[in-house]
Amino acid sequence: TISLYAPLQMQAAVAWLPLAIALSLHEPKGVRLASEGHRENLRTVLRALFASGRFTMWLTLTNVVYAMLTIVAVFSFQAQWTVRGVALGHFGWLWAAQNLVVALAARAAHRVEDRLGFGFVIAAVAALPVVGFFGMGWLPGVFAIAVGVCFPLCRALNQVVLRDALNARMPTELRATANSLLALGMRALFALAGPLFGRALDVSGARAF
């Protein structure tokens, strides 16, 4: 409500903080990929992700697909809040609450795994987006808004527990590149799914009951 420039200026200022922190970090010495060329190194990482065992392959695909689903869902939130009569001034509080849920759930993720088991975490990561998407479409009013919490919970469990499980199975010299490829895969899928999802929202709108 101050101006369109105010949020941009605040975000630009905040964006410098992690850069300043990153410049103060020193990377530990460790084993690195042999300098045989980028193409061969890429083949080595892809073999480790997709050809070193079915469990590792499914962990890789799960990390990419469910990360993409949580990002796609984020783009529907404002449409959902609008058709359910949430005032624009409350959008910021709802965004902040979503991010707070991610932070708290990520902090507790390993405790959840220790108490309920890795199988429970995988089942939760698979089920939460399904509950979230159908809940936002079918539930009335405030319940549809509340069920959106499924997506930050899924994101936290996926990015902490499942990513840790994958990293534990990657050789040290491949780990950083493997994580970069996961991020690239998620963005590539989103580049395909995002416009289709956005088109569906523009044409059909967000369901509200």
Side-chain angles (χ1 to χ4, degrees):
T1 58
I2 298 172
S3 75
L4 286 175
Y5 288 105
L8 296 175
Q9 292 166 342
M10 292 179 66
Q11 288 185 24
V14 171
W16 283 100
L17 296 177
L19 177 60
I21 295 172
L23 292 175
S24 70
L25 300 176
H26 298 281
E27 185 177 2
K29 294 181 179 179
V31 181
R32 295 182 179 273
L33 281 171
S35 56
E36 300 174 357
H38 295 303
R39 186 173 299 178
E40 183 56 37
N41 287 340
L42 178 60
R43 288 197 194 99
T44 301
V45 176
L46 290 176
R47 281 195 297 267
L49 289 172
F50 294 102
S52 61
R54 290 182 62 187
F55 188 71
T56 302
M57 179 190 71
W58 285 114
L59 270 178
T60 300
L61 294 174
T62 299
N63 268 278
V64 170
V65 171
Y66 282 96
M68 182 272 294
L69 287 175
T70 59
I71 298 299
V72 165
V74 164
F75 278 78
S76 72
F77 285 165
Q78 291 194 14
Q80 287 283 334
W81 299 341
T82 299
V83 299
R84 284 172 166 77
V86 177
L88 182 61
H90 294 152
F91 279 22
W93 296 107
L94 289 173
W95 279 117
Q98 291 276 341
N99 284 283
L100 183 61
V101 169
V102 172
L104 295 176
R107 187 173 179 82
H110 278 307
R111 290 197 296 271
V112 172
E113 181 189 14
D114 291 340
R115 180 167 295 184
L116 300 176
F118 185 71
F120 172 85
V121 174
I122 291 179
V125 169
L128 284 168
V130 178
V131 174
F133 279 119
F134 280 102
M136 287 195 302
W138 289 349
L139 292 176
V142 68
F143 298 105
I145 297 172
V147 81
V149 78
C150 289
F151 296 102
L153 289 174
C154 175
R155 179 184 173 193
L157 293 174
N158 184 36
Q159 292 293 309
V160 175
V161 178
L162 270 63
R163 183 65 64 88
D164 183 56
L166 184 63
N167 283 332
R169 289 161 175 81
M170 286 292 104
T172 303
E173 65 273 18
L174 304 181
R175 198 169 293 145
T177 306
N179 279 278
S180 296
L181 284 175
L182 293 180
L184 176 62
M186 183 273 289
R187 284 161 176 78
L189 278 182
F190 180 72
L192 298 173
L196 296 175
F197 191 76
R199 175 66 176 170
L201 279 177
D202 289 339
V203 172
S204 303
R207 290 183 67 182
F209 296 97

